Every structure is written in structure tokens, then in C-alpha cells.
Amino acid sequence: MKKRLAYGLLGLSIFAAGCSSAGTEAESGTAPKTEDGKTVVTFWHAMGGQAQEALNETVADYNASQDEVQVNAEFQGTYEESLPKFHSVAGTDQAPTVIQVQEIGSMSMINSGNIEPIQKFIDEEEYDMSILEENISNYYKIDGQFYSMPFNSSTPVMYYNKDAFKAAGLDPEAPPKTYEEVEAAAKAITESNPEMKGFALQAYGWLYEELLANQGGLLMDNDNGRSDTPTEVAFNNEKGKSTFEWVKRMIDAGTFANYGTNGDNMVSGFLAGDTAMFLQSSASSRDVIDNAPFEVGVAFIPHPEAEERQGVVIGGASLWMSSGKSEEEQQAAWDFMKYVQTPEAQAKWHVGTGYFAINPAAYDEQIVKDAHEKMPQLKTAIEQLQATKPSPATQGALMDMIPEERKIMETALETVYNGGDVDEAFNTAVEQVNAAIEQANAARGN
């Protein structure tokens, strides 16, 4: 017989009698059951490709680890697609037990009123959240409590072509650390190989926010929305404009590769040798390294030389629990949430995807040690995260209109990429984000 819920669901009563078909509720307040009496947890997620394979393996491992809960993982499209789906069914029987939501969807979930904060379960059993990586859990601790369980987390890193560095007379073991050093390396690379651009930056609001935070810059006032609801932007300064000016200098120098908002094309361009450096999520590490026909280097993201490096904001997603479910179903979901934080589960997740191990004890697992020996580039993102200085800037901004802010910043960056004026594009973005903040506050009656 399989071990019974070694992760803390001992004592959960099972009502096998009177159940309907698998995954359906027999009556209001009764947990859905499989035909053999297991409590069903429906888990909506947004993982595709290699990450989906790793997630399916995590779920299968959990289901095999005990005999009282059956987690059914269901892909719901991208983060942008799955969150509206949840809101459309939240509060009904069609809502999933657990949903994976991108970090910037946190306030949208809290404001929905359709989630059960996991702090309830943490308090009930005095679960120790300090076992998790501090710079990850800091993001998800809001107003002194946890509403969701951190799960897949990543930060951006800089990928670079070591062969191109060697060909340009650059030290492949000493990647550039500052904006200015990136510019110099990009120039040397393009001069040595006119068919290759030195650097690419996807027009992506998340990357802009990360480069801002690395300078200690805030995206919004009121401590990035951590002390109170934001009322206006906080990036209307040189720190906020520096990334626009940096890109413009490389465009003028002919060393910048413009892929617009298309991250897939940017990665393909890197793998094809069209560009030598780019920024992207650390979760892309396995795909990039495994598929490159040259040696790939991974480095910290850069910062202006006039500013001290502060670190990165956590990206990725967390696991949220629906309200309105029976206590039995919620306890089953909580048990699964705890399982995915175990060192064993996180070790396999990290190695299989490139995402961080939420529980740093996972890095002591042999499977991780072997992977890091074979692929030392995976350690760079971990070192960058652990060297991050905690502050409102590196905690990241909180507000439900951040997805709109990201689109505005992407449009502004693309405008500059396509020859637009830096000051005009930047000032327009400031005005538009301020208007979005004002509109969001008005809609909530703030």
C-alpha cells in the first residue's frame, strides 16, 4: 500500500459512498471523488513545452506518493489566457481547486474575493514558510501574509555567445556587467563579424522592470505599492529613462538587433548566430543551452555604471486556492502545495526546467549537484537571486493594472527601436501609465 499523505493530510476523512463520476461533486460541500474514493484536486496551469512535461511528472510523482488524493493537471493556455478563464468561473462549481497565476496577477486574484488565502492553512498547522528562498517568498508576502504558494520562479539573466566573444578578442569568462560594458562588447563583436549584432533586448515590460529594479528604481510610488495603493509612477527620472537611452546608443552604433516584442525570434536569432547577447528568463536556460551549436555563457543582468547593482525581482507564478470548496478538497489541495515545495520535488523541477528551486535545500540533492556539474550555467541565476538586496525595488510592484503597464512600456520601447525619439516615447509612457493607475483606482473607488 502506498504511504498515506506523508506531507500532512493525515486524518483527512474520505467519503467514498454516494460519489458521482470522477471529478464531480455529489452535492454541495462535498469533495469531488474518483471511483476509488480519492479526493480530486483540479489544477489549472499555464506551462507548455518542456516545463509542462516537468510539471506533469511532478503531479504524477505526488499522485503516486499517497493514495487519498488525485491531482488532475489541466493546461489552460498562457498566463494571459488562464487568468480571465478563472475569473469567468470563479465562485462556481466549474472553478478549479488550484490555479497557477503569474506574479503580476496577484492583486487581481486578491481583489476578486474568490480565493482562500493559504495563510489560513499555514497558521492552522504552523507551517514553516522560512524554508523557502527569502528573495522569492518576499514577493508573495503581502500585508504580512501569504495569499498563495510560490511555485515556479525565475529572473532574467544575460545569455551570451562565448565563441563570438573569443572571435572578437573578448574574455568569454568575463561577461560585461554594466550598460557601458555591454555597449563596448557589442561594438567589438559587430566589428569582428559584420553579420552579427552585438546585443538584443526584447521589447518586454518585465525586462524593463527588472533593469529598473537592478538600479534600485521603483516602478510606482508608495514603495512600489507595498505600503499603500499606488497613485502614480515612480520611474519618471534618469533611472527610468536610462534603459531607453542605452538601447538608443546601440541602435545609433549599429550594434543592436531589433526583434521587437517577439522573444521566440530573439532566441532563434541568438541560436542562429545573428546576435551575441540578449536578456531573457532564467527558465529558458535548458532550452537555450541544449540547442545552441556553440558554448553559451550566462551572466547577471547589467546596470548603468553610475548605479550600484541591487539585484532582481522574482518572476514566474504561484499557486492559488479557490474559495467555496469543501474543507476536504481544500486540505487535499494544501497537501499538494506542500509537496511541490519539498527538496526532492523542487530538485527535479529545477533540473528539468531551469526554474529556481523554491526550497534551497533542493540544491543539496544529488540530482542537482550532477546537473550543475554538467551545466554550471544554471548556477548563475541562483547566485544572482541570492545576491539581491531586499528592498521595495527588488520586491517588485503590486497593482492589478501592471499587465497594462507592461504593454505601455513595450509600445514605448518598440517606438524607440523603430527610430522614435527617446524623450517623446518615454514621456508618453509615463503619461499613459499614470492614466492607467488613475483609472484603476477610480474603478475601485480609491
Side-chain angles (χ1 to χ4, degrees), residues 375-430:
M375 197 175 292
Q377 299 99 319
L378 292 176
K379 294 189 292 185
T380 300
I382 300 167
E383 293 164 355
Q384 180 179 233
L385 177 66
Q386 294 179 341
T388 291
K389 301 171 184 177
S391 72
T394 58
Q395 272 188 292
L398 288 175
M399 198 173 186
D400 51 9
M401 48 64 65
I402 289 179
E404 185 176 356
E405 169 269 323
R406 289 191 175 175
K407 292 296 184 183
I408 292 169
M409 299 313 298
E410 288 163 13
T411 298
L413 287 168
E414 272 205 296
T415 297
V416 174
Y417 292 4
N418 294 323
D421 180 74
V422 166
D423 288 339
E424 184 177 344
F426 180 73
N427 291 336
T428 297
V430 169

Coordinates of all heavy atoms in Angstrom, one line a residue, residues 375-430:
M375 N 26.2 21.3 -16.2 CA 25.7 22.6 -16.8 C 25.8 23.7 -15.7 O 24.8 24.2 -15.1 CB 24.2 22.4 -17.2 CG 23.7 23.5 -18.2 SD 22.0 23.1 -18.7 CE 22.2 21.6 -19.7
P376 N 27.0 24.2 -15.5 CA 27.3 25.2 -14.4 C 26.5 26.5 -14.7 O 26.4 27.3 -13.7 CB 28.8 25.4 -14.5 CG 29.2 24.9 -15.8 CD 28.3 23.8 -16.2
Q377 N 26.1 26.7 -15.9 CA 25.4 28.0 -16.2 C 24.1 28.1 -15.4 O 23.6 29.2 -15.1 CB 25.0 28.1 -17.7 CG 26.2 28.1 -18.7 CD 26.4 26.7 -19.2 OE1 26.3 25.7 -18.5 NE2 26.7 26.6 -20.5
L378 N 23.5 27.0 -14.9 CA 22.3 27.0 -14.2 C 22.5 27.7 -12.8 O 21.6 28.2 -12.2 CB 21.8 25.6 -13.9 CG 21.2 24.8 -15.1 CD1 20.9 23.4 -14.8 CD2 20.1 25.5 -15.8
K379 N 23.7 27.7 -12.3 CA 24.0 28.3 -11.0 C 24.0 29.9 -11.1 O 23.9 30.5 -10.0 CB 25.4 27.8 -10.5 CG 25.4 26.3 -10.2 CD 26.7 25.9 -9.5 CE 27.9 26.1 -10.4 NZ 29.2 25.5 -9.8
T380 N 24.2 30.5 -12.2 CA 24.3 31.9 -12.3 C 23.0 32.6 -11.8 O 23.1 33.6 -11.0 CB 24.6 32.4 -13.8 OG1 25.8 31.8 -14.2 CG2 24.7 33.9 -13.9
A381 N 21.9 32.2 -12.2 CA 20.6 32.8 -11.8 C 20.4 32.6 -10.3 O 19.9 33.6 -9.7 CB 19.5 32.1 -12.6
I382 N 20.8 31.5 -9.8 CA 20.7 31.3 -8.3 C 21.6 32.3 -7.6 O 21.2 32.9 -6.6 CB 21.1 29.8 -8.0 CG1 20.2 28.8 -8.7 CG2 21.1 29.6 -6.4 CD1 20.7 27.4 -8.6
E383 N 22.8 32.4 -8.0 CA 23.8 33.4 -7.4 C 23.3 34.8 -7.5 O 23.4 35.6 -6.6 CB 25.2 33.2 -8.0 CG 25.8 31.9 -7.8 CD 27.0 31.6 -8.7 OE1 27.2 32.4 -9.6 OE2 27.6 30.5 -8.5
Q384 N 22.7 35.2 -8.7 CA 22.2 36.5 -8.8 C 21.0 36.8 -7.9 O 20.9 37.8 -7.3 CB 21.7 36.7 -10.3 CG 21.1 38.0 -10.6 CD 20.7 38.2 -12.1 OE1 21.1 39.1 -12.7 NE2 19.9 37.3 -12.5
L385 N 20.1 35.8 -7.7 CA 19.0 35.9 -6.8 C 19.4 36.1 -5.4 O 19.0 36.9 -4.6 CB 18.0 34.8 -7.0 CG 16.8 34.8 -6.1 CD1 15.9 35.9 -6.4 CD2 16.1 33.5 -6.1
Q386 N 20.4 35.2 -5.0 CA 20.8 35.2 -3.6 C 21.7 36.4 -3.3 O 21.8 36.7 -2.1 CB 21.5 33.9 -3.3 CG 20.6 32.7 -3.4 CD 21.3 31.3 -3.1 OE1 22.5 31.2 -3.2 NE2 20.5 30.3 -2.8
A387 N 22.2 37.1 -4.3 CA 23.0 38.3 -4.0 C 22.1 39.6 -4.1 O 22.6 40.7 -3.8 CB 24.1 38.4 -5.1
T388 N 20.8 39.4 -4.3 CA 19.9 40.5 -4.4 C 19.7 41.1 -3.0 O 19.5 40.4 -2.0 CB 18.5 40.1 -5.0 OG1 18.7 39.7 -6.4 CG2 17.5 41.1 -4.9
K389 N 19.7 42.5 -3.0 CA 19.5 43.2 -1.8 C 18.0 43.5 -1.6 O 17.4 44.2 -2.4 CB 20.3 44.5 -1.8 CG 21.8 44.3 -2.1 CD 22.5 45.6 -2.3 CE 24.0 45.4 -2.6 NZ 24.7 46.7 -3.0
P390 N 17.4 43.0 -0.5 CA 15.9 43.2 -0.3 C 15.6 44.6 -0.2 O 16.2 45.4 0.6 CB 15.7 42.4 0.9 CG 16.8 41.4 1.0 CD 18.0 42.1 0.5
S391 N 14.6 45.1 -0.9 CA 14.1 46.5 -0.8 C 12.8 46.5 -1.6 O 12.4 45.6 -2.3 CB 15.1 47.4 -1.5 OG 15.1 47.3 -2.9
P392 N 12.0 47.6 -1.4 CA 10.8 47.7 -2.2 C 11.0 47.6 -3.7 O 10.2 47.1 -4.5 CB 10.2 49.1 -1.8 CG 10.7 49.3 -0.4 CD 12.1 48.7 -0.4
A393 N 12.2 48.0 -4.2 CA 12.5 48.0 -5.6 C 12.6 46.5 -6.1 O 12.1 46.1 -7.1 CB 13.8 48.7 -5.9
T394 N 13.4 45.7 -5.3 CA 13.6 44.3 -5.7 C 12.5 43.4 -5.2 O 12.4 42.2 -5.7 CB 15.0 43.8 -5.2 OG1 15.0 43.9 -3.7 CG2 16.1 44.6 -5.8
Q395 N 11.6 43.9 -4.4 CA 10.4 43.1 -4.1 C 9.4 43.1 -5.2 O 8.7 42.1 -5.4 CB 9.7 43.7 -2.8 CG 10.2 43.1 -1.5 CD 9.3 43.6 -0.4 OE1 9.3 44.8 -0.1 NE2 8.5 42.7 0.2
G396 N 9.5 44.2 -6.0 CA 8.6 44.3 -7.2 C 7.3 45.0 -6.8 O 6.9 45.1 -5.7
A397 N 6.7 45.6 -7.9 CA 5.5 46.4 -7.7 C 4.2 45.5 -7.6 O 4.1 44.5 -8.2 CB 5.3 47.4 -8.9
L398 N 3.2 46.1 -6.8 CA 1.9 45.4 -6.7 C 0.8 46.3 -7.1 O 0.7 47.4 -6.6 CB 1.7 45.0 -5.2 CG 2.5 43.9 -4.6 CD1 2.2 43.7 -3.2 CD2 2.2 42.6 -5.4
M399 N 0.1 46.0 -8.1 CA -1.1 46.6 -8.5 C -1.8 45.8 -9.6 O -1.1 45.2 -10.4 CB -0.9 48.1 -9.0 CG -2.2 48.9 -9.0 SD -2.0 50.7 -9.3 CE -3.6 51.2 -9.0
D400 N -3.1 45.8 -9.7 CA -3.8 45.0 -10.6 C -3.7 45.5 -12.1 O -4.1 44.7 -13.0 CB -5.2 44.7 -10.2 CG -6.0 46.0 -10.0 OD1 -5.4 47.1 -10.2 OD2 -7.1 46.0 -9.5
M401 N -3.2 46.7 -12.3 CA -3.1 47.2 -13.7 C -1.7 47.0 -14.3 O -1.4 47.5 -15.4 CB -3.5 48.7 -13.8 CG -2.9 49.6 -12.8 SD -1.1 49.8 -12.8 CE -0.9 50.6 -14.4
I402 N -0.8 46.3 -13.6 CA 0.6 46.1 -14.1 C 0.6 45.4 -15.5 O 1.4 45.8 -16.3 CB 1.4 45.3 -13.1 CG1 1.7 46.2 -11.9 CG2 2.8 44.9 -13.7 CD1 2.5 45.6 -10.8
P403 N -0.3 44.5 -15.8 CA -0.3 44.0 -17.2 C -0.5 45.1 -18.2 O 0.2 45.0 -19.3 CB -1.4 43.0 -17.2 CG -1.5 42.5 -15.8 CD -1.2 43.7 -14.9
E404 N -1.3 46.1 -17.9 CA -1.5 47.2 -18.8 C -0.2 48.0 -18.9 O 0.2 48.5 -20.0 CB -2.7 48.0 -18.4 CG -3.0 49.2 -19.3 CD -4.2 49.9 -18.9 OE1 -4.9 49.6 -17.9 OE2 -4.6 50.9 -19.6
E405 N 0.4 48.2 -17.7 CA 1.7 49.0 -17.7 C 2.7 48.3 -18.6 O 3.5 49.0 -19.3 CB 2.2 49.1 -16.2 CG 3.6 49.6 -16.1 CD 4.7 48.5 -16.1 OE1 4.4 47.4 -15.5 OE2 5.7 48.7 -16.6
R406 N 2.8 47.0 -18.5 CA 3.8 46.3 -19.4 C 3.5 46.5 -20.8 O 4.5 46.7 -21.6 CB 3.8 44.8 -19.0 CG 4.4 44.6 -17.7 CD 4.7 43.1 -17.4 NE 5.3 42.9 -16.1 CZ 5.6 41.8 -15.5 NH1 5.3 40.7 -16.2 NH2 6.3 41.7 -14.4
K407 N 2.3 46.5 -21.3 CA 2.0 46.8 -22.7 C 2.4 48.2 -23.1 O 2.9 48.4 -24.2 CB 0.5 46.5 -22.9 CG 0.0 45.1 -22.8 CD 0.7 44.2 -23.8 CE 0.2 42.8 -23.8 NZ 0.8 41.9 -24.7
I408 N 2.2 49.1 -22.2 CA 2.5 50.5 -22.5 C 4.1 50.6 -22.6 O 4.5 51.3 -23.6 CB 2.1 51.5 -21.4 CG1 0.5 51.5 -21.4 CG2 2.7 52.9 -21.5 CD1 -0.1 52.2 -20.2
M409 N 4.8 50.0 -21.8 CA 6.3 50.1 -21.8 C 6.8 49.4 -23.1 O 7.8 49.8 -23.7 CB 6.9 49.5 -20.6 CG 6.5 50.2 -19.3 SD 6.6 52.0 -19.4 CE 8.4 52.3 -19.7
E410 N 6.2 48.3 -23.5 CA 6.6 47.6 -24.7 C 6.4 48.5 -25.9 O 7.2 48.5 -26.8 CB 5.8 46.3 -24.8 CG 6.2 45.2 -23.8 CD 5.2 44.1 -23.6 OE1 4.3 44.0 -24.4 OE2 5.3 43.4 -22.6
T411 N 5.2 49.1 -26.0 CA 5.0 50.0 -27.1 C 6.0 51.2 -27.1 O 6.5 51.5 -28.2 CB 3.6 50.6 -27.0 OG1 2.6 49.6 -27.1 CG2 3.3 51.6 -28.1
A412 N 6.4 51.7 -26.0 CA 7.4 52.8 -25.9 C 8.7 52.3 -26.4 O 9.4 53.0 -27.1 CB 7.4 53.3 -24.5
L413 N 9.1 51.1 -25.9 CA 10.4 50.6 -26.4 C 10.4 50.3 -27.9 O 11.4 50.7 -28.6 CB 10.7 49.3 -25.6 CG 11.1 49.5 -24.1 CD1 11.1 48.1 -23.4 CD2 12.5 50.1 -24.0
E414 N 9.4 49.7 -28.4 CA 9.3 49.5 -29.8 C 9.4 50.8 -30.6 O 10.0 50.8 -31.7 CB 8.0 48.8 -30.1 CG 8.1 47.3 -30.1 CD 7.1 46.6 -30.9 OE1 5.9 46.7 -30.7 OE2 7.5 45.9 -31.9
T415 N 8.8 51.8 -30.1 CA 8.8 53.1 -30.8 C 10.3 53.6 -30.9 O 10.7 54.0 -32.0 CB 8.0 54.2 -30.0 OG1 6.7 53.8 -29.9 CG2 8.1 55.6 -30.6
V416 N 11.1 53.4 -29.9 CA 12.5 53.8 -30.0 C 13.2 52.9 -30.9 O 14.1 53.3 -31.7 CB 13.1 53.8 -28.6 CG1 14.6 54.0 -28.6 CG2 12.5 54.9 -27.7
Y417 N 12.9 51.6 -30.8 CA 13.6 50.6 -31.7 C 13.4 50.9 -33.2 O 14.2 50.7 -34.0 CB 13.0 49.2 -31.5 CG 13.3 48.6 -30.1 CD1 14.0 49.2 -29.1 CD2 13.0 47.3 -29.8 CE1 14.3 48.7 -27.9 CE2 13.2 46.7 -28.6 CZ 13.9 47.4 -27.7 OH 14.2 46.8 -26.5
N418 N 12.2 51.5 -33.5 CA 11.9 51.8 -34.8 C 12.2 53.3 -35.2 O 11.7 53.8 -36.2 CB 10.4 51.5 -35.1 CG 10.1 50.0 -35.0 OD1 10.9 49.2 -35.4 ND2 8.9 49.7 -34.4
G419 N 13.1 53.9 -34.5 CA 13.5 55.2 -34.8 C 12.9 56.4 -34.1 O 13.2 57.5 -34.4
G420 N 12.0 56.1 -33.2 CA 11.3 57.2 -32.5 C 12.2 57.9 -31.5 O 13.3 57.4 -31.1
D421 N 11.8 59.1 -31.1 CA 12.6 59.9 -30.1 C 12.4 59.4 -28.7 O 11.3 59.0 -28.3 CB 12.0 61.4 -30.2 CG 12.8 62.3 -29.2 OD1 13.9 62.6 -29.5 OD2 12.2 62.6 -28.2
V422 N 13.6 59.3 -28.0 CA 13.6 58.7 -26.7 C 12.7 59.5 -25.7 O 11.8 59.0 -25.0 CB 15.0 58.6 -26.1 CG1 15.0 58.4 -24.6 CG2 15.8 57.5 -26.8
D423 N 12.9 60.8 -25.7 CA 12.1 61.7 -24.7 C 10.6 61.6 -25.0 O 9.8 61.5 -24.0 CB 12.6 63.1 -24.8 CG 14.0 63.3 -24.2 OD1 14.4 62.5 -23.4 OD2 14.7 64.3 -24.5
E424 N 10.3 61.6 -26.2 CA 8.8 61.6 -26.6 C 8.2 60.3 -26.2 O 7.1 60.2 -25.6 CB 8.7 61.9 -28.1 CG 7.2 61.9 -28.5 CD 7.1 62.3 -30.0 OE1 8.0 62.7 -30.6 OE2 5.9 62.1 -30.5
A425 N 8.9 59.2 -26.5 CA 8.4 57.8 -26.2 C 8.3 57.6 -24.7 O 7.3 57.1 -24.2 CB 9.3 56.8 -26.8
F426 N 9.3 58.0 -24.0 CA 9.4 57.9 -22.5 C 8.3 58.7 -21.9 O 7.5 58.2 -21.0 CB 10.7 58.2 -22.0 CG 10.9 58.1 -20.5 CD1 10.9 56.8 -19.9 CD2 10.9 59.2 -19.7 CE1 11.1 56.6 -18.6 CE2 11.0 59.0 -18.3 CZ 11.1 57.8 -17.7
N427 N 8.2 59.9 -22.2 CA 7.2 60.8 -21.6 C 5.8 60.4 -21.9 O 4.9 60.4 -21.0 CB 7.4 62.3 -22.1 CG 8.7 62.9 -21.6 OD1 9.2 62.5 -20.5 ND2 9.2 63.9 -22.3
T428 N 5.5 59.9 -23.1 CA 4.2 59.3 -23.4 C 3.9 58.1 -22.5 O 2.8 58.0 -22.1 CB 4.2 58.9 -24.9 OG1 4.3 60.1 -25.7 CG2 2.8 58.3 -25.2
A429 N 4.9 57.3 -22.3 CA 4.7 56.1 -21.5 C 4.4 56.5 -20.0 O 3.5 55.9 -19.4 CB 5.9 55.2 -21.5
V430 N 5.1 57.5 -19.5 CA 4.8 58.0 -18.2 C 3.3 58.5 -18.1 O 2.6 58.1 -17.1 CB 5.8 59.1 -17.8 CG1 5.3 59.8 -16.5 CG2 7.2 58.5 -17.6

